């Protein structure tokens, strides 16, 4: 019996050792597994992060391109109604008649594209009483036209509402139209005053003498048209000034010289500039966005390395209207 008990006990000991040996991994085995896993997963994670970042950059680039095209189409439709477009000399002359004319504002708001347009208004004049108006009886009213002064600004301020890149804003003041009725006259914006073509002289000289009326709190504000415009300032190394305009056209802003026709301070950038031919009522409009500003609170500047994420667009427009002068 004693040899039998010894044999049974010996088998129990072997079985216990075998069970303990297969119960888990050793520390060395775990360390080796972790090292192998890190060698495999780290490149995969890096690869996936790069793909996600690239995908996001492409998405913001596409969005910026679409917004630039939409903004440019809007400006083009607006310009098609122009009867006179101010060149750089003209903006220099009337700058103090436009909103945001204080010395501090001039560093943040610059009027790049300023023009007069003649807008068609269907059934704009006719009956206007308490019981009836042109909206109810358009057949008893006549069509008319109204003049407006439009200004597109390049804006670079510290507004928390918009991005830290630049943006484009639009200002418009319009004439009243219709009969000498108080309800009709209410359509005239505060600060509006029509240009004066009386007397002798060239058209440009007369348009440059325009003076605004009295602006009030009811005067229309400068409304943002598009955000995420490139804010990179002009420099000779990475962001040189644009090429000169074709013969017969003036560049706005001017990037050399002095005076109000030069974009100064925070808005000295070529991301929104135009070439204007006032005589022929024509303009070339150039825009450059900053897609990376959608991903970073501190937008990077333009460079050759990242230029693919600074989409550009341009268009040439000729106004359909014109004005006569003696």
């Amino acid at each position: 019996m004693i040899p039998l008990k010894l044999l049974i006990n010996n088998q129990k000991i072997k079985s216990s050792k075998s069970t303990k040996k297969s119960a888990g991994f050793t520390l060395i085995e775990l360390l080796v597994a972790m090292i192998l896993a890190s060698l495999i997963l780290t490149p995969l994670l890096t690869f996936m992060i790069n793909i996600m970042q690239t995908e996001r950059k492409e998405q913001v680039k596409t969005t910026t391109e679409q917004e630039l095209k939409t903004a440019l189409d809007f400006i083009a439709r607006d310009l098609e109604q122009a009867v006179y477009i101010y060149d750089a000399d003209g903006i220099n002359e009337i700058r103090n008649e436009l909103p945001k004319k204080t010395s501090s504002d001039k560093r943040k708001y610059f009027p790049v594209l300023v023009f007069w347009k003649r807008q068609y208004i269907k059934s704009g004049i006719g009956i206007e009483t308490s019981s009836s108006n042109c909206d109810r009886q358009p057949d008893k009213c006549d069509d008319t036209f109204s003049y407006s002064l439009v200004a597109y600004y390049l804006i670079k301020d510290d507004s928390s509402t918009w991005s830290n890149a630049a943006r484009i804003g639009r200002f418009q003041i319009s004439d009243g139209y219709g009969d000498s009725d108080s309800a009709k006259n209410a359509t005239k914006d505060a600060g509006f005053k029509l240009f004066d073509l009386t007397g002798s002289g060239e058209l440009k000289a007369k348009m440059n003498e325009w003076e605004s009326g009295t602006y009030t709190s009811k005067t229309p504000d400068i409304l943002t048209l598009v955000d995420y415009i490139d804010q990179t300032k002009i420099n000779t190394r990475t962001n040189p000034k644009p090429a000169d305009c074709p013969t017969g056209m003036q560049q706005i802003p001017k990037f050399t010289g002095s005076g109000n026709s030069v974009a100064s301070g925070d808005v000295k950038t070529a991301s929104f500039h135009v070439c204007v031919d006032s005589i022929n009522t024509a303009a070339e409009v150039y825009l450059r966005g900053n897609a990376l500003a959608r991903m970073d609170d501190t937008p990077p500047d333009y460079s050759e390395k990242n230029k693919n994420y600074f989409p550009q667009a341009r268009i040439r427009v000729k106004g359909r209207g014109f004005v006569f002068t003696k």
Side-chain angles (χ1 to χ4, degrees):
M1 294 297 294
I2 291 175
L4 182 60
K5 288 181 179 180
L6 290 173
L7 180 61
I8 292 172
N9 289 337
N10 187 43
Q11 292 295 327
K12 287 182 177 180
I13 292 171
K14 289 182 178 180
S15 176
S16 175
K17 289 181 178 180
S18 177
T19 303
K20 290 181 180 179
K21 185 176 181 180
S22 62
F25 298 100
T26 65
L27 180 59
I28 294 176
E29 290 173 334
L30 289 174
L31 289 174
V32 171
M34 291 174 63
I35 293 172
L36 291 175
S38 64
L39 291 175
I40 295 173
L41 293 178
T42 299
L44 289 176
L45 289 174
T46 303
F47 178 71
M48 290 299 298
I49 291 173
N50 289 337
I51 289 178
M52 293 174 64
Q53 289 180 341
T54 302
E55 177 65 19
R56 188 183 176 194
K57 286 182 178 180
E58 291 300 321
Q59 288 178 351
V60 298
K61 176 186 175 184
T62 300
T63 301
T64 305
E65 288 174 342
Q66 292 174 344
E67 290 185 355
L68 282 184
K69 185 179 184 302
T70 301
L72 204 60
D73 289 343
F74 183 92
I75 294 173
R77 290 194 300 270
D78 219 9
L79 267 174
E80 286 177 352
Q81 302 179 72
V83 297
Y84 184 82
I85 307 174
Y86 284 98
D87 57 18
D89 296 333
I91 292 180
N92 189 39
E93 292 295 328
I94 69 168
R95 179 67 181 91
N96 290 331
E97 303 299 323
L98 299 172
K100 302 295 183 182
K101 57 189 178 182
T102 65
S103 57
S104 59
D105 283 335
K106 284 182 179 180
R107 293 184 57 85
K108 302 176 182 179
Y109 296 79
F110 189 84
V112 175
L113 180 61
V114 183
F115 58 93
W116 286 93
K117 74 175 187 177
R118 191 169 181 250
Q119 187 174 1
Y120 170 76
I121 301 171
K122 184 177 177 58
S123 302
I125 55 175
I127 57 174
E128 186 71 26
T129 65
S130 59
S131 60
S132 181
N133 56 37
C134 290
D135 293 333
R136 295 191 183 95
Q137 295 179 277
D139 58 314
K140 295 185 177 181
C141 298
D142 293 325
D143 299 339
T144 187
F145 290 88
S146 176
Y147 283 102
S148 297
L149 177 70
V150 178
Y152 285 90
Y153 283 77
L154 178 61
I155 305 171
K156 181 66 180 73
D157 59 4
D158 301 322
S159 173
S160 59
T161 305
W162 306 101
S163 72
N164 289 324
R167 67 184 190 274
I168 295 175
R170 182 180 184 273
F171 172 78
Q172 177 177 345
I173 47 175
S174 300
D175 192 5
Y177 58 90
D179 302 327
S180 58
D181 181 275
S182 59
K184 284 291 185 181
N185 287 336
T187 62
K188 184 173 183 177
D189 292 327
F192 180 87
K193 187 178 179 182
L194 191 61
F195 49 83
D196 185 5
L197 298 180
T198 60
S200 60
E202 296 182 353
L203 175 62
K204 180 176 178 177
K206 292 180 179 180
M207 299 301 282
N208 289 354
E209 292 176 353
W210 174 76
E211 295 181 353
S212 65
T214 304
Y215 292 123
T216 69
S217 58
K218 295 182 180 180
T219 299
D221 199 1
I222 299 174
L223 303 178
T224 296
L225 175 67
V226 62
D227 198 3
Y228 300 106
I229 300 298
D230 179 28
Q231 79 294 337
T232 309
K233 293 183 180 181
I234 294 295
N235 61 75
T236 56
R237 187 172 60 87
T238 60
N239 189 37
K241 70 181 184 68
D244 294 336
C245 292
T247 304
M249 307 185 85
Q250 281 195 10
Q251 193 171 76
I252 311 171
K254 286 182 177 178
F255 298 104
T256 57
S258 60
N260 291 333
S261 57
V262 179
S264 61
D266 297 333
V267 295
K268 192 170 184 180
T269 173
S271 56
F272 173 35
H273 70 270
V274 298
C275 294
V276 171
D277 180 357
S278 295
I279 296 176
N280 296 305
T281 321
E284 288 185 1
V285 184
Y286 172 90
L287 298 179
R288 183 170 73 191
N290 185 348
L292 299 179
R294 298 177 181 273
M295 303 174 58
D296 196 339
D297 290 336
T298 305
D301 286 343
Y302 172 86
S303 67
E304 285 294 318
K305 181 180 179 180
N306 58 13
K307 66 179 181 179
N308 289 337
Y309 299 103
F310 289 75
Q312 305 176 16
R314 67 188 309 157
I315 195 170
R316 184 183 178 100
V317 184
K318 184 163 189 332
R320 296 175 180 173
F322 53 87
V323 290
F324 289 103
T325 184
K326 294 181 180 181

